[in-house]
Amino acid sequence: MSFVSFNFVIFVAAAAGAYFLCPSKYRWCILLAASQIFYLLSSPHTYVFLLFTTATTFCGGLLIEGQTDKYKIYVKEHKAELDRKKKKEIKAGYEKKKRWILLAVLLLNLGILAFVKYFKIYINMISEALNLDWLHFDAGILIPLGISFYTFQSLGYLIDIYREQYKADRNLAKFALFVSWFPQIIQGPISRYDQLAEQLYEPHSFQYERVKFGIQLMMWGWFKKLVIADRVAVFVNQVFDRYTEYTGFYAILGVIGYTIQIYGDFSGGMDIARGVSQIFGIDLTLNFKRPYFATSIPEFWRRWHITLGAWCRDYIFYPISLSKFFGKLGKNSRKLLGDRIGKQVPVIFAQLITFFVIGVWHGAEFKYIAYGLYQAVFIIGGILFEPYIVRLTELLRINTKAFSWKLFQITRTFILIVIGRFFSRGASFGAAVWMMRHSLDFNPGVLFNGGIFTLGLTQKDFILLGICLIFWIMISTIQECGYSVRELIARQNAVFRWIIYLVGIFAIMIFGIYGIGYDAKSFIYRGF
């Protein structure tokens, strides 16, 4: 069931009605039923994968916590006869059991994730590399809906139980709700147990303001997805699918268009998910914070897909950079490279590994790995060259507080992000490099000879797109200045408010991309 279908609107309305009419004690049951029904309607053939992840992480959490409890009980019962050394040995034994349980559940779930996403691709890559026709794999493997998102969310819960950050959930049905909450299961955000679970389990009463704000957020998401992202996708697909025919300005227009498309598509989906959740009284974690206002690549990743970045930071980057091995590496590096560079060596390696994982998470092809490493290079470069950049700005007497400097930083960062999109959208790594090289071909005449109108959009479409983008930038600027647009609208007179609502509704209905050949399920990140 697609977020942009009429059936989804009916489904949400029915679920909300049932939720608020149900006795408070059982309202979480309505959310669970709605989530399971939504998944069965959307991806019935892969439902077993969701059940498997739910069951294994639930049991894994109980087993890990059981080992922690056993250790505490043993220490309490034998406190008098245990010295410090013996106590440490016993704790190490229990910790080892916990690690094995954690490792088993991680391998099971990550193994399934890797198999369904990458098995066919890697088998065929090996077949082509070794010229083994008999090894070619033609059978399709159905990728479970939202498997990356619910797997990461569940494993994050399990790791936190291992770290004793909170107690394991002892209600399988409630835990299943945490894993499968339907607005976020398609493309996130990747929520933390301590942030989301209690909100799902406790009853929420009907509040008109909250429901109104939720619907407004959904409309904003539909606007970004249907009116902007899907319209941009028309010429983006044309350029990237036939990239040898469209060089120079076409390639530049295509990659800028994709940069807009993926943000409108992904953040639009997030707004819909957060809006639906808000109707039920649940606040999902913010996943986008106007990333194209970022002044550096690290800041961009603090604003873009925030929950994935936070997940990778807490469960990949920190464990690697703070591990004993990299601690020793950093210590030895100081002797060879000096204190400033040497102490950054663990951070550099951890960044490379983290962004390699982010690249592989997007896909198994080398273009995605290149995309991840491309981001890492600029982040690592910023770490290494920061003192020299500061010194240079002082030497040139640049006022780093001035708006012009910030505008320069935003523009520079946006250009770097746009270049990276050649890798994430190109047909292959080779195609991405080819497009980058030929984007420098000088052909600005396509702006004046009607060439851009051969990309699938009419002049009216481009004018409409330009107006919508200006409107989007204005709204984003207002938000960046610290104002809530929804609260500003709420303070206006009723007539003016309803004019805004009706204009928004009709804009989506009239200017949204529909019709023959349109796939309403085609959110870009749905496949991840």
Side-chain angles (χ1 to χ4, degrees):
M1 187 187 303
S2 171
F3 276 6
V4 294
S5 67
F6 184 69
N7 289 339
F8 180 73
V9 176
I10 299 299
F11 180 83
V12 171
Y19 180 80
F20 292 118
L21 291 173
C22 180
S24 298
K25 185 178 179 181
Y26 302 106
R27 285 182 181 172
W28 69 269
C29 298
I30 299 296
L31 300 184
L32 175 62
S35 298
Q36 301 300 307
I37 292 170
F38 177 85
Y39 201 92
L40 283 168
L41 291 174
S42 302
S43 187
H45 302 298
T46 61
Y47 183 62
V48 64
F49 291 96
L50 176 65
L51 294 180
F52 179 82
T53 297
T54 303
T56 53
T57 50
F58 176 79
C59 293
L62 291 177
L63 290 172
I64 289 172
E65 187 175 88
Q67 293 300 317
T68 302
D69 293 340
K70 285 179 182 179
Y71 166 71
K72 292 178 180 179
I73 292 170
Y74 184 89
V75 169
K76 187 177 181 180
E77 291 178 347
H78 300 82
K79 187 176 182 180
E81 57 196 74
L82 289 176
D83 57 24
R84 188 173 181 180
K85 183 179 179 182
K86 187 66 175 176
K87 186 177 178 181
K88 190 175 181 180
E89 289 176 358
I90 293 170
K91 184 177 182 179
Y94 282 106
E95 289 294 326
K96 186 177 180 180
K97 292 177 182 178
K98 287 170 60 176
R99 281 195 298 271
W100 278 112
I101 296 168
L102 176 66
L103 185 62
V105 180
L106 289 177
L107 288 177
L108 277 172
N109 286 277
L110 292 176
I112 290 173
L113 175 63
F115 177 79
V116 299
K117 288 189 70 172
Y118 310 129
F119 177 76
K120 177 181 176 180
I121 295 172
Y122 280 131
I123 286 294
N124 291 341
M125 284 173 61
I126 294 170
S127 174
E128 291 175 10
L130 301 178
N131 198 23
L132 301 174
D133 294 336
W134 58 271
L135 191 61
H136 195 74
F137 191 81
D138 291 320
I141 297 176
L142 191 61
I143 298 177
L145 178 69
I147 184 171
S148 292
F149 296 101
Y150 69 69
T151 298
F152 278 26
Q153 181 163 302
S154 303
L155 296 184
Y157 158 83
L158 191 69
I159 295 169
D160 287 344
I161 296 298
Y162 173 80
R163 294 174 175 175
E164 300 181 33
Q165 292 188 2
Y166 39 72
K167 304 291 286 184
D169 200 322
R170 281 170 164 70
N171 188 318
L172 178 58
K174 286 186 174 181
F175 182 72
L177 171 57
F178 164 71
V179 176
S180 65
W181 175 230
F182 76 90
Q184 70 167 28
I185 200 164
I186 291 180
Q187 53 183 356
I190 304 169
S191 298
R192 303 297 176 89
Y193 181 82
D194 56 344
Q195 182 273 328
L196 179 63
E198 239 1 90
Q199 292 191 78
L200 292 169
Y201 303 162
E202 66 182 20
H204 300 277
S205 59
F206 178 86
Q207 292 182 14
Y208 172 74
E209 286 296 314
R210 190 182 62 220
V211 172
K212 179 182 70 176
F213 280 177
I215 293 173
Q216 289 174 3
L217 193 54
M218 292 171 66
M219 287 175 58
W220 182 235
W222 284 324
F223 174 78
K224 288 194 287 186
K225 163 66 176 171
L226 293 173
V227 180
I228 297 179
D230 287 350
R231 178 167 274 100
V232 174
V234 173
F235 73 79
V236 169
N237 293 338
Q238 184 84 340
V239 171
F240 278 91
D241 292 348
R242 299 166 60 184
Y243 64 91
T244 56
E245 301 175 29
Y246 294 103
T247 59
F249 186 79
Y250 287 118
I252 294 172
L253 182 65
V255 75
I256 293 175
Y258 181 66
T259 305
I260 296 168
Q261 179 200 352
I262 193 171
Y263 180 37
D265 187 286
F266 199 9
S267 69
M270 291 297 100
D271 289 340
I272 297 168
R274 291 178 60 235
V276 171
S277 297
Q278 195 165 14
I279 289 172
F280 292 93
I282 297 155
D283 293 320
L284 291 182
T285 306
L286 186 67
N287 213 27
F288 289 91
K289 193 176 180 181
R290 300 168 296 282
Y292 296 150
F293 281 96
T295 57
S296 65
I297 298 295
E299 186 187 351
F300 171 80
W301 281 98
R302 291 193 293 270
R303 290 169 173 256
W304 175 275
H305 207 338
I306 297 169
T307 56
L308 174 64
W311 196 97
C312 290
R313 178 196 66 209
D314 293 345
Y315 303 122
I316 300 176
F317 176 79
Y318 283 147
I320 291 173
S321 62
L322 300 177
S323 65
K324 290 182 180 179
F325 174 81
F326 280 98
K328 291 179 181 178
L329 180 64
K331 189 176 181 180
N332 294 329
S333 299
R334 287 191 187 96
K335 297 176 183 177
L336 296 173
L337 304 173
D339 282 344
R340 192 184 75 82
I341 301 295
K343 71 179 181 180
Q344 297 293 348
V345 168
V347 174
I348 290 170
F349 276 99
Q351 290 285 11
L352 283 171
I353 295 169
T354 300
F355 276 93
F356 174 82
V357 171
I358 288 175
V360 171
W361 178 81
H362 281 82
E365 297 95 327
F366 184 70
K367 65 173 186 174
Y368 291 117
I369 296 172
Y371 172 72
L373 296 179
Y374 173 86
Q375 305 292 329
V377 164
F378 286 104
I379 291 175
I380 293 167
I383 294 171
L384 295 177
F385 293 103
E386 182 180 12
Y388 305 108
I389 294 171
V390 171
R391 203 172 301 167
L392 181 62
T393 56
E394 291 174 352
L395 184 65
L396 297 175
R397 296 183 179 181
I398 295 173
N399 180 8
T400 56
K401 305 286 186 182
F403 171 76
S404 57
W405 176 249
K406 186 174 182 179
L407 182 62
F408 164 76
Q409 290 178 304
I410 291 172
T411 304
R412 174 203 60 194
T413 304
F414 182 75
I415 291 171
L416 294 176
I417 293 301
V418 167
I419 294 171
R421 293 299 179 194
F422 276 114
F423 294 116
S424 59
R425 179 59 180 86
S428 64
F429 175 76
V433 173
W434 194 95
M435 289 185 72
M436 290 169 67
R437 189 171 71 247
H438 288 275
S439 66
L440 301 176
D441 295 347
F442 190 74
N443 59 348
V446 300
L447 286 173
F448 310 103
N449 62 14
I452 61 172
F453 302 129
T454 65
L455 299 178
L457 294 183
T458 64
Q459 184 178 13
K460 290 181 180 179
D461 279 316
F462 275 107
I463 293 172
L464 173 63
L465 190 56
I467 294 171
C468 291
L469 287 174
I470 292 170
F471 177 69
W472 189 5
I473 293 169
M474 288 172 57
I475 296 296
S476 298
T477 303
I478 292 170
Q479 293 173 329
E480 187 69 12
C481 292
Y483 297 100
S484 169
V485 176
R486 289 184 292 174
E487 291 178 3
L488 288 174
I489 294 173
R491 291 199 290 266
Q492 307 308 313
N493 293 320
V495 174
F496 184 74
R497 288 201 312 270
W498 277 100
I499 290 174
I500 294 174
Y501 299 154
L502 291 173
V503 168
I505 291 169
F506 285 112
I508 294 167
M509 294 176 64
I510 295 171
F511 300 121
I513 296 292
Y514 304 99
I516 298 172
Y518 173 70
D519 180 8
K521 296 182 289 187
S522 59
F523 278 91
I524 293 173
Y525 271 77
R526 180 186 175 96
F528 295 114

